Amino acid sequence: EVQLVESGGGLVKPGGSLRLSCAASGFTFSNAWMSWVRQAPGKGLEWVGRIKSKTEGETIDYAAPVNGRFTISRDDSKKTLYLQMNSLKTEDTAVYYCATESYYAFDYWGQGTLVTVSS
Amino acid sequence: DIQMTQSPSTLSASVGDRVTITCRASQTFSNWLAWYQQKPGKAPKRLMYRASSLESGVPSRFSGSGSGTEFTLTISSLQPDDFATYYCQQYNSYFFTFGPGTKVDIK
């Protein structure tokens, strides 16, 4: 059974940093293309960024609102995906989901972790 | 960037109704179009991918169609479990974009 478990969310002040983790199991993580998707309270879904597998060069793409502030990485030996978030803004407040990708869409999702940016 | 719109934004329907949700893109893209269902407090669930391919385990009352800039999700006979918010999502040139969502509630 595929499982994705996010952790690391919490309350952080504007300008601060936070690192999220996504622990994967039940599939060959090293072959997976992985994304982060977020959802602000009461709002819709917003793609944050994606990292491809090592065989695809671990290419990373980011959405414009986070480009230059967020960094996605992966540790295939630990089957873990990361999201390093720097220079956080109040508008980054959201539930952050990690998800696997197939057919250029997201098939398996974690339960999400809440990040609140507030002074 | 491609912008996605959905209509309607809210839909009130009864059990047994046929429901159609439309997703429109600001420009043509290949058929990498997916549909998701989300219930309050839960992660989204993929229903359709590549515009018309049904996700494994999803009931056959769900169907998807369309190409170019207009895509539809149809629920042939609405069931109590289907009251939720539905999102479309496209992929084009390294970026993913979601539609704003359509909430299907009880009439």
Side-chain angles (χ1 to χ4, degrees):
Chain A
E1 179 195 3
V2 172
Q3 279 203 316
L4 298 168
V5 180
E6 301 94 338
S7 60
L11 175 63
V12 61
K13 289 182 167 53
S17 299
L18 207 58
R19 188 177 85 153
L20 307 183
S21 300
C22 169
S25 61
F27 64 102
T28 307
F29 180 77
S30 58
N31 292 343
W33 295 13
M34 301 293 300
S35 275
W36 288 97
V37 177
R38 68 184 181 183
Q39 187 169 35
K43 303 297 183 183
L45 301 166
E46 180 184 26
W47 174 73
V48 171
R50 176 192 61 192
I51 184 168
K52 294 183 179 179
S53 61
K54 184 165 284 188
T55 57
E56 299 292 335
E58 287 192 9
T59 304
I60 305 173
D61 297 299
Y62 296 99
V66 308
N67 197 20
R69 299 188 298 123
F70 290 12
T71 302
I72 296 174
S73 61
R74 62 191 298 159
D75 185 334
D76 290 345
S77 67
K78 295 182 178 179
K79 299 182 182 179
T80 301
L81 175 73
Y82 301 101
L83 179 65
Q84 177 67 44
M85 303 184 294
N86 298 331
S87 303
L88 281 161
K89 306 175 181 179
T90 55
E91 53 262 42
D92 294 319
T93 294
V95 173
Y96 285 73
Y97 297 99
C98 63
T100 60
E101 181 186 328
S102 69
Y103 297 104
Y104 297 107
F106 310 112
D107 46 1
Y108 294 99
W109 299 65
Q111 85 288 350
T113 187
L114 176 62
V115 172
T116 303
V117 185
S118 174
S119 55
Chain B
D1 290 1
I2 294 180
Q3 308 302 315
M4 308 296 286
T5 60
Q6 286 182 233
S7 59
S9 55
T10 304
L11 188 161
S12 296
S14 302
V15 172
D17 285 352
R18 182 180 180 88
V19 166
T20 298
I21 300 169
T22 299
C23 177
R24 292 185 177 88
S26 58
Q27 58 184 275
T28 300
F29 63 99
S30 58
N31 280 8
W32 298 117
L33 190 286
W35 289 96
Y36 301 85
Q37 177 193 68
Q38 188 180 32
K39 296 181 179 179
K42 300 294 186 181
K45 173 186 175 183
R46 190 169 75 174
L47 303 174
M48 312 290 306
Y49 60 93
R50 206 166 47 188
S52 60
S53 295
L54 187 68
E55 187 74 21
S56 175
V58 172
S60 59
R61 63 181 179 273
F62 291 92
S63 64
S65 64
S67 63
T69 61
E70 187 164 315
F71 298 82
T72 60
L73 174 72
T74 299
I75 310 172
S76 61
S77 177
L78 198 66
Q79 298 302 300
D81 191 49
D82 301 338
F83 292 98
T85 299
Y86 294 84
Y87 296 92
C88 62
Q89 170 253 308
Q90 70 85 33
Y91 174 82
N92 185 64
S93 298
Y94 315 113
F95 297 103
F96 299 84
T97 309
F98 289 91
T102 295
K103 184 177 181 180
V104 177
D105 61 21
I106 301 173
K107 194 174 199 178

